[in-house]
């Protein structure tokens, strides 16, 4: 298998190489082979196609990313790991893969992962693909780790495009899009072959959760992000295709709930009925409720209650 990269191995203190990996790839713990405190390795970066890419060379025992590291440094990428030289065993969730030169594995940065090198010199190419883009395009079929089988003809096509992106200084956006299309085709073919269909996307889960908890005044965008195990910034990115923020969506659904309840009531004392409905629909500030309700429907809550 022809090498795609030629990184160098040089003696580096463990803490320095670990800091470089953290700077480029996120929080990972590096375990050297011996007790000398020195690892032969190097980390460099370059732009490959439309992707930021890390070229990692080392002869460590293992590199790991645990739940604590993920909490401290939330991941916003998938790392497409291409083994270029040496061997590596990857463990992520239920996925375990033994990588030889040419093998590829899609690492999910928001899930714990371990890379075992057994002291062999390893060269790896890591393409950093924005997580929200992959989930938006393909759902969650590739979350939790995914081994890309070289038995599939699409493996060869993906590797060829990666090699072309490395060599080609022009047309990079088109090559990046071609690569994502090939990945989508690979995911589709594996599902057609019997792999379970992807679960609902993060956006659909967020929308369902908003509908479920909208009447709870303590439920807001921060609580939504916590329940989905993502950062608020990542959550906002998923809402961009809708042209709104999670907070706007939650407010809109609360107002719709209040409007539906007021429309279904016959209130002899509308002011008392409106107050009860507002609190029941997740509002704890009446002046804010009145202002936003009138902005959305062009009339007061009391007027809606009287009309019905």
């Amino acid at each position: 298998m022809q090498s795609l990269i030629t990184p160098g191995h040089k003696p580096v203190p463990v803490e320095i190489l670990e800091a470089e990996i953290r700077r480029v790839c996120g929080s990972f713990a590096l375990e050297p082979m011996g007790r000398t405190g020195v690892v032969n390795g190097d980390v460099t970066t370059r732009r490959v196609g439309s992707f930021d890419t890390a070229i990692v060379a080392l002869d460590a025992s293992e590199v790991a990313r645990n739940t604590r590291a993920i909490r401290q440094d939330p991941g916003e990428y998938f790392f497409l790991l291409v083994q270029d030289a040496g061997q590596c065993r990857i463990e992520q969730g239920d996925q375990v893969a033994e990588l030889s030169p040419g093998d590829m594995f899609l690492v999910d940065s928001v899930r714990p992962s371990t890379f075992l090198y057994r002291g062999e010199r390893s060269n790896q190419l890591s393409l950093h693909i924005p997580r929200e883009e992959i989930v938006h395009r393909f759902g969650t079929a590739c979350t939790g780790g995914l081994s890309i089988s070289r038995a599939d003809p699409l493996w060869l096509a993906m590797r060829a495009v990666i090699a072309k992106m490395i060599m080609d200084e022009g047309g990079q956006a088109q090559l990046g899009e071609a690569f994502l299309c090939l990945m989508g085709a690979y995911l589709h073919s594996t599902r057609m072959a019997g792999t379970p269909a992807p679960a609902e996307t993060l956006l659909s889960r967020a929308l369902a959760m908003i509908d479920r908890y909208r009447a709870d005044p303590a439920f807001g965008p921060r609580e939504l992000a916590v329940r989905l195990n993502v950062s608020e910034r990542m959550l906002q990115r998923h809402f961009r295709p809708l042209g709104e923020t999670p907070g706007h969506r939650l407010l809109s659904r609360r107002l719709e709930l209040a409007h539906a309840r007021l429309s279904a009531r016959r209130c002899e004392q509308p002011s008392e009925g409106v107050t009860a409905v507002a609190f029941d629909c997740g509002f704890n500030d009446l002046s804010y409720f009145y202002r936003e309700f009138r902005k959305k429907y062009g009339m007061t809550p009391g007027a809606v209650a009287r009309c019905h």
Side-chain angles (χ1 to χ4, degrees):
M1 181 62 62
Q2 183 179 1
S3 176
L4 296 173
I5 52 179
T6 55
H9 287 255
K10 58 186 179 183
V12 183
V14 171
E15 60 272 14
I16 291 180
L17 188 59
E18 191 174 68
E20 280 298 295
I21 292 175
R22 183 182 300 112
R23 179 183 65 84
V24 174
C25 303
S27 183
F28 286 84
L30 175 61
E31 184 69 29
M33 278 297 296
R35 300 181 178 180
T36 62
V38 174
V39 175
N40 288 308
D42 191 23
V43 180
T44 59
T45 60
R46 64 178 294 181
R47 191 75 172 171
V48 174
S50 53
F51 310 113
D52 291 328
T53 302
I55 301 170
V56 182
L58 46 74
D59 62 357
S61 174
E62 71 174 57
V63 175
R65 179 171 167 83
N66 58 26
T67 53
R68 181 179 179 183
I70 293 170
R71 285 196 300 269
Q72 294 174 344
D73 178 26
E76 298 184 4
Y77 294 95
F78 283 104
F79 302 133
L80 180 72
L81 201 66
V82 182
Q83 190 71 27
D84 196 60
Q87 309 288 324
C88 176
R89 175 185 173 93
I90 297 182
E91 299 175 355
Q92 183 163 57
D94 296 331
Q95 298 291 320
V96 177
E98 298 282 351
L99 302 188
S100 297
D103 289 333
M104 293 185 283
F105 189 96
L106 193 66
V107 181
D108 191 344
S109 65
V110 305
R111 306 285 179 86
S113 54
T114 302
F115 307 82
L116 301 170
Y117 299 98
R118 302 185 181 89
E120 292 188 21
R121 288 196 171 189
S122 168
N123 295 341
Q124 294 172 325
L125 190 75
S126 176
L127 276 68
H128 299 182
I129 309 174
R131 195 173 194 279
E132 67 271 16
E133 180 174 357
I134 294 297
V135 173
H136 179 69
R137 282 180 180 237
F138 310 129
T140 56
C142 48
T143 58
L146 176 69
S147 181
I148 300 176
S149 172
R150 65 168 66 207
D152 192 305
L154 288 170
W155 168 86
L156 187 60
M158 282 188 276
R159 182 177 169 82
V161 172
I162 292 173
K164 180 66 174 176
M165 286 192 292
I166 292 173
M167 294 184 297
D168 192 5
E169 297 296 330
Q172 296 190 351
Q174 293 86 343
L175 287 172
E177 182 61 30
F179 177 79
L180 291 177
C181 289
L182 286 171
M183 181 176 288
Y186 179 82
L187 292 170
H188 177 73
S189 65
T190 55
R191 289 199 299 268
M192 293 298 289
T195 303
E200 56 188 350
T201 66
L202 187 142
L203 178 59
S204 65
R205 289 168 58 204
L207 295 176
M209 202 167 285
I210 285 175
D211 286 346
R212 180 177 179 182
Y213 296 105
R214 58 182 170 172
D216 181 357
F219 183 78
R222 178 176 298 179
E223 175 67 16
L224 177 60
V226 169
R227 288 174 182 263
L228 293 170
N229 195 31
V230 297
S231 67
E232 289 188 70
R233 184 172 64 176
M234 183 183 292
L235 184 62
Q236 289 174 351
R237 288 177 181 174
H238 281 275
F239 274 78
R240 283 178 186 170
L242 301 182
E244 61 184 0
T245 66
H248 290 152
R249 179 72 176 199
L250 180 58
L251 171 62
S252 180
R253 296 298 289 142
R254 281 173 171 161
L255 290 172
E256 290 170 8
L257 179 62
H259 187 276
R261 292 189 179 181
L262 289 169
S263 299
R265 298 180 64 155
R266 294 182 178 276
C267 302
E268 295 180 359
Q269 296 176 303
S271 61
E272 292 180 5
V274 167
T275 299
V277 168
F279 288 134
D280 287 345
C281 294
F283 292 93
N284 50 22
D285 184 332
L286 283 177
S287 61
Y288 175 69
F289 168 67
Y290 271 85
R291 182 173 66 252
E292 294 299 326
F293 191 97
R294 186 163 189 165
K295 186 188 302 183
K296 182 176 178 67
Y297 294 107
M299 58 194 308
T300 66
V304 172
R306 285 192 295 271
C307 287
H308 295 83

